[in-house]
Amino acid sequence: MKVLFYGRLSDLIGRELDVNAPAGCSVGQLRSRLAAEHPQAEQSLRSNRAKTCVGERLVDDDHALDASDIVEFLPPVSGG
Amino acid sequence: MSIVVRLEEQRLDPEQELGELLRQASGDGAVVSFVGVARPTSKAGKPIEDLVLDHHSTLTRKSLEDIAVGAAERFDVNHVHVVHRCGTVAVGQPIVFAGAAGGHRRAAFDCADYLMDRLKTEAVFWKREVGAGGSEWIEPTDADYADRDRWG
């Protein structure tokens, strides 16, 4: 599946990754795997103000992923 | 009721936006506007050259629309006007224009205040201050979240 990163996470990991995740993998499992593979990004990935988006909908860590999904990890947002 | 929401990649002209809001508000008694400007120094006192606003191709615009509609529904105003920059903003240049117009000043002041509190914490941007020594991502502070939460 394609995984996209924004803000601070795009600096720490890169803008985009292709990840081979098992069928039914949850967002939380993907987050843990990414945190283990990119320890420099662990704090940002696990921030309780970060959000995860699949198909342009916000999802929680229990959401089951499909291989065709595009998963987006969004660090805390700030405008103004 | 009119709601104007725009995401500008190149330029934001506050005078032009205020002029547009004033024309729309020709029957109103109160027009309030706020302009956010890129600061020349970081919180740590380091000089900044540019502010870079990373954004999302769809969620950013939707977040601006949600905030503007929420403000229009919440306050007794007739016009809500939000324009936000994305991309690279030089120091001293405007980042955001938030305006509200209605019959009386209190609702217009509150509406503009509410718009900014939500824009600071919910508008889908990621801000990076760029200076001679490198760059630093800026995230909302606890005070920013407290300001937003006072609206309930």
Side-chain angles (χ1 to χ4, degrees):
Chain A
M1 68 187 64
K2 185 186 286 190
V3 185
L4 304 178
F5 303 95
Y6 292 84
R8 185 190 303 276
L9 284 171
S10 69
D11 268 0
L12 295 170
I13 300 178
R15 181 61 98 178
E16 181 177 331
L17 280 181
D18 278 316
V19 176
N20 283 319
C25 168
S26 72
V27 166
Q29 289 169 325
L30 176 62
R31 185 191 309 280
S32 293
R33 175 174 160 182
L34 290 168
E37 292 176 357
H38 303 274
Q40 75 279 13
E42 179 170 10
Q43 188 178 350
S44 290
L45 282 166
R46 295 192 186 282
S47 164
N48 59 9
R49 285 178 168 145
K51 294 183 168 64
T52 311
C53 194
V54 177
E56 298 187 356
R57 278 196 317 118
L58 294 177
V59 296
D60 61 26
D61 271 8
D62 295 332
H63 181 88
L65 295 166
D66 186 88
S68 62
D69 281 335
I70 296 174
V71 185
E72 299 177 288
F73 284 95
L74 315 178
V77 297
S78 178
Chain B
M1 165 63 70
S2 73
I3 298 174
V4 171
V5 174
R6 292 207 317 278
L7 180 62
E8 293 285 357
E9 295 189 14
Q10 301 292 334
R11 186 167 175 270
L12 194 172
D13 181 343
E15 292 181 17
Q16 183 178 317
E17 303 305 334
L18 180 58
E20 187 180 330
L21 179 58
L22 283 165
R23 281 190 294 279
Q24 288 178 322
S26 59
D28 289 323
V31 177
V32 170
S33 67
F34 172 88
V35 179
V37 177
R39 288 189 190 87
T41 52
S42 71
K43 281 194 175 156
K46 293 179 186 169
I48 296 168
E49 293 168 3
D50 293 312
L51 183 68
V52 178
L53 291 108
D54 191 8
H55 76 289
H56 187 282
S57 61
T58 56
L59 295 178
T60 298
R61 192 176 302 273
K62 184 175 183 312
S63 69
L64 297 179
E65 290 168 355
D66 287 347
I67 292 165
V69 169
E73 289 175 348
R74 180 172 182 132
F75 299 98
D76 184 16
V77 295
N78 297 320
H79 306 281
V80 172
H81 195 110
V82 174
V83 183
H84 209 297
R85 276 294 314 273
C86 61
T88 301
V89 180
V91 162
Q93 293 300 303
I95 305 165
V96 62
F97 176 96
H104 301 282
R105 72 180 187 283
R106 183 58 53 209
F109 272 123
D110 286 347
C111 184
D113 200 11
Y114 172 90
L115 283 169
M116 283 313 305
D117 284 344
R118 287 195 61 191
L119 286 165
K120 292 290 285 185
T121 52
E122 297 176 32
V124 177
F125 294 96
W126 298 276
K127 296 192 293 194
R128 184 162 50 96
E129 292 175 342
V130 181
S135 69
E136 187 169 349
W137 292 99
I138 306 301
E139 294 179 351
T141 62
D142 289 342
D144 290 330
Y145 289 114
D147 283 344
R148 180 200 58 188
D149 292 345
R150 71 198 165 101
W151 298 101

